[in-house]
């Protein structure tokens, strides 16, 4: 087989890239390790920056999001014994964000791929990248096994969209790669429940730990609580989860939280991770393959979309005008936005969680940071700008 771009991974990054490339007349083949049903069943992010919404709209992927998604004007922060306050992105920046689950985006992307006959090869194993180092005369190709048969695709570029555990990042020699990592001393227990959500996405800092109330639709809520790293889902039956969640919210909000049997429960560790550079020869990394953020700022999915935006623009310029400039600047440009969101997610994680090793001094400093944020419209505007997401860099 032969194509212009092999895309490894059919998560949001891989499928969105294939869609945008198709719109520019660039051919691609997507390789996916898992079965399609598995990819479609994963429950993850929910908050889309306005830039992400724009990219989906510009590429004809927004019909269902615009019908079923919920625009929000801001998010709320609450903490023990004090009033909550809004970080209002609409009032400060004139920008709203959209609450629309990653599961639905994934369905929309697969449906769009089906409509255009996009080759997506699922359940492939042993993916190996060859001749991708950019040496003169190198002919990149990817080999893999599908249905017990070894196959090979020759290509011009490889897009590594295969998430944190994928093969792409590790196909960059260790001597070239630099990794930055921070692991947090707790995890998030996430649940889905068929109950009416609170009106705002609400982040809570409480002496018992962080909590978050989020939204899927009028009858479906997503909640998270900070738990110990060693906790297992079995440690959190519903009759322990609901009282603990409510204990962390201010009383009037806790009273508004309805209870029902949870329909999904999982625990995720929190980490910040960046691997540089995001390009090695013919290989370009996008999304979780290159970076991970803790979910506190809801940035993971949005960064996958900004990487794809920059890479698709660079490939369109290369195939359309023969100019390599944006391919050459891809890594630096993508990383500027990545680090900005990495910093925001780290800041919010530090602000909103209870850290087991915090001294009384650390705790006081955190409380006064929250106090400042609550009372300063300038501090709120700065956070609103970061939460709503920075604009993409323009090029000539
Ligand atoms: P994905 O979605 O992980 O997709 C990568 C795809 O690549 C496939 N793959 C391979 N395919 C072929 N060969 C290989 N060797 C392969 N190795 C892997 C995988 O099967 C998969 O289909 O990465 P992508 O596209 O970069 O998208 C990134 C987002 O999914 C991610 O940033 C967010 O979901 C992060 N994230 C969350 N972000 C939020 O903003 N809010 C959240 O609440 C939130 N919850 C989460 C999350 C990520 C999680 N993971 C990755 C453990 C919860 C979890 C559990
Ligand atoms: C979600 O709705 O899943 C969600 C919302 C906000 C976050 C993380 C996750 O910061």
């Amino acid at each position: 087989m032969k194509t212009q771009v092999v895309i490894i991974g059919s998560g949001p990054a891989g499928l969105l890239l294939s869609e945008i490339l198709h719109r520019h007349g660039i051919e691609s083949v997507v390789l996916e390790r898992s079965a399609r049903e598995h990819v479609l069943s994963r429950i993850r992010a929910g908050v889309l920056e306005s830039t992400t919404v724009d990219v989906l709209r510009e590429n004809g992927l927004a019909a269902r999001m615009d019908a079923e998604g919920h625009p929000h004007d801001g998010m709320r922060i609450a903490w023990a014994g004090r009033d909550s306050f809004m970080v209002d992105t609409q009032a400060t920046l004139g920008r709203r964000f959209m609450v629309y689950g990653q599961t639905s985006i994934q369905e929309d992307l697969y449906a769009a791929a089906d409509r255009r006959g996009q080759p997506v090869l699922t359940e492939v194993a042993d993916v190996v990248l060859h001749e991708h180092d950019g040496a003169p005369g190198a002919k990149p190709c990817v080999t893999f096994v599908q249905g017990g048969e070894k196959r090979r695709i020759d290509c011009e570029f490889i897009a590594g969209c295969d998430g944190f555990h994928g093969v792409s990042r590790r196909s960059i020699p260790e001597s070239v790669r630099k990794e930055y990592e921070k692991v947090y001393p707790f995890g998030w227990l996430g649940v889905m429940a068929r109950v009416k959500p609170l009106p705002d996405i609400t982040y809570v800092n409480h002496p018992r730990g962080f909590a978050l109330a989020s939204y899927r639709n009028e009858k479906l809520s997503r909640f998270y609580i900070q738990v110990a790293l060693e906790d297992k889902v079995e440690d959190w039956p519903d009759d322990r989860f609901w009282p603990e969640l409510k204990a962390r919210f201010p009383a009037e909000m806790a009273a508004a939280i309805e209870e029902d049997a949870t329909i999904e429960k999982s625990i995720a560790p929190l980490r910040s991770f960046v691997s540089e550079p995001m390009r090695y020869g013919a290989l370009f990394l996008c999304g979780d393959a290159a970076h991970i953020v803790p979910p506190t700022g809801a940035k993971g999915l949005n960064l996958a979309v900004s990487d794809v935006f920059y890479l698709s623009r660079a490939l369109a310029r290369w195939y359309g005008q023969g100019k390599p400039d944006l391919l050459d600047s891809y890594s630096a440009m993508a990383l500027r936005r990545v680090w900005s969101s990495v910093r925001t997610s780290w800041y919010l994680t530090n602000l909103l969680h209870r850290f087991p090793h915090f001294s009384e001094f650390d705790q006081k400093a955190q409380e006064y940071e929250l106090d400042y944020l609550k009372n300063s419209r300038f501090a709120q505007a700065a956070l609103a700008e970061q939460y709503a997401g920075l604009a993409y860099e323009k090029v000539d």
Side-chain angles (χ1 to χ4, degrees):
M1 263 175 106
K2 198 169 168 12
T3 190
Q4 289 172 305
V5 183
V6 169
I7 299 174
I8 307 175
S10 75
L15 283 187
L16 178 63
L17 180 63
S18 73
E19 175 72 43
I20 302 179
L21 292 184
H22 172 78
R23 286 173 171 257
H24 287 284
I26 303 167
E27 259 179 38
S28 68
V29 174
V30 180
L31 301 179
E32 168 58 49
R33 182 182 54 188
S34 301
R36 177 178 175 140
E37 300 69 46
H38 176 76
V39 177
L40 289 174
S41 68
R42 293 187 298 220
I43 298 179
R44 290 181 175 177
V47 176
L48 307 183
E49 294 173 352
S50 56
T51 43
T52 298
V53 169
D54 292 344
V55 169
L56 295 174
R57 285 191 183 139
E58 281 157 17
N59 289 287
L61 293 162
R64 184 167 156 222
M65 175 192 75
D66 282 327
E68 296 177 14
H70 290 260
H72 281 240
D73 289 348
M75 54 89 163
R76 188 170 287 281
I77 294 181
W79 81 106
R82 310 199 205 171
D83 296 339
S84 65
F85 60 95
M86 276 295 273
V87 176
D88 194 326
T89 58
Q90 171 68 8
T92 39
L93 306 157
R95 285 167 59 193
R96 312 173 92 190
F97 53 85
M98 183 75 85
V99 180
Y100 184 62
Q102 183 169 328
T103 318
S104 306
I105 293 181
Q106 192 77 65
E107 285 169 4
D108 298 346
L109 286 166
Y110 257 110
D114 287 346
R115 280 198 297 276
R116 65 175 190 274
Q118 168 69 40
V120 181
L121 309 184
T122 55
E123 296 179 79
V124 305
D126 300 336
V127 171
V128 182
L129 287 65
H130 307 269
E131 295 204 42
H132 55 290
D133 63 359
K139 292 192 180 349
C141 75
V142 178
T143 56
F144 56 97
V145 174
Q146 195 188 27
E149 217 172 285
K150 188 155 182 183
R151 301 181 64 181
R152 165 186 162 149
I153 309 181
D154 294 317
C155 58
E156 286 150 11
F157 296 101
I158 301 168
C161 303
D162 48 354
F164 183 64
H165 300 287
V167 65
S168 300
R169 183 180 68 254
R170 288 192 294 270
S171 303
I172 301 177
E174 274 182 37
S175 57
V176 174
R177 240 188 304 149
K178 174 134 179 68
E179 297 185 344
Y180 302 83
E181 183 171 43
K182 187 169 185 67
V183 176
Y184 301 91
F186 39 70
W188 277 20
L189 168 69
V191 314
M192 197 75 97
R194 288 199 183 88
V195 295
K196 195 166 104 215
L198 293 181
D200 301 311
I201 293 180
T202 307
Y203 295 84
V204 184
N205 179 331
H206 188 277
R208 301 179 70 97
F210 168 85
L212 167 61
S214 185
Y215 205 96
R216 285 295 177 272
N217 61 47
E218 281 90 353
K219 293 186 193 127
L220 191 59
S221 298
R222 180 85 167 140
F223 296 105
Y224 300 90
I225 54 172
Q226 172 185 347
V227 295
L229 260 186
E230 56 280 7
D231 278 10
K232 303 270 174 293
V233 167
E234 304 75 68
D235 299 328
W236 286 96
D238 285 4
D239 60 3
R240 180 177 177 207
F241 171 75
W242 289 112
E244 185 60 41
L245 176 76
K246 289 181 167 188
R248 298 182 187 189
F249 275 83
E252 71 287 1
M253 287 189 202
I257 294 176
E258 296 173 358
E259 291 183 33
D260 195 16
T262 59
I263 50 177
E264 197 265 350
K265 217 180 250 164
S266 57
I267 293 183
L270 269 69
R271 102 170 63 217
S272 301
F273 171 87
V274 182
S275 178
E276 299 185 358
M278 286 174 62
R279 177 206 185 159
Y280 175 68
L283 169 64
F284 294 79
L285 301 180
C286 291
D288 281 14
H291 40 74
I292 295 286
V293 286
T296 325
K299 294 293 180 205
L301 172 62
N302 294 293
L303 280 181
V305 172
S306 61
D307 292 348
V308 165
F309 174 84
Y310 288 140
L311 180 57
S312 56
R313 186 168 68 179
L315 286 166
R317 166 119 43 157
W318 167 251
Y319 281 110
Q321 302 169 31
K323 290 187 186 162
D325 55 335
L326 294 185
L327 290 172
D328 293 339
S329 59
Y330 168 73
S331 179
M333 196 181 282
L335 281 166
R336 281 195 283 278
R337 200 167 191 283
V338 166
W339 273 109
S340 162
S341 293
V342 165
R343 197 202 70 79
T344 301
S345 308
W346 161 83
Y347 167 75
L348 279 173
T349 302
N350 284 313
L351 182 73
L352 296 172
H353 292 77
R354 294 291 164 140
F355 285 72
H357 62 265
F358 259 21
S359 65
E360 286 175 89
F361 176 90
D362 294 331
Q363 199 51 55
K364 276 279 184 198
Q366 190 197 53
E367 275 171 35
Y368 278 85
E369 173 79 39
L370 273 164
D371 224 37
Y372 171 57
L373 191 58
K374 181 182 172 191
N375 294 309
S376 162
R377 66 190 165 89
F378 301 107
Q380 283 181 20
L383 181 57
E385 184 182 35
Q386 296 165 61
Y387 195 82
L390 297 187
Y392 295 159
E393 287 182 44
K394 292 194 167 54
V395 291
D396 301 331

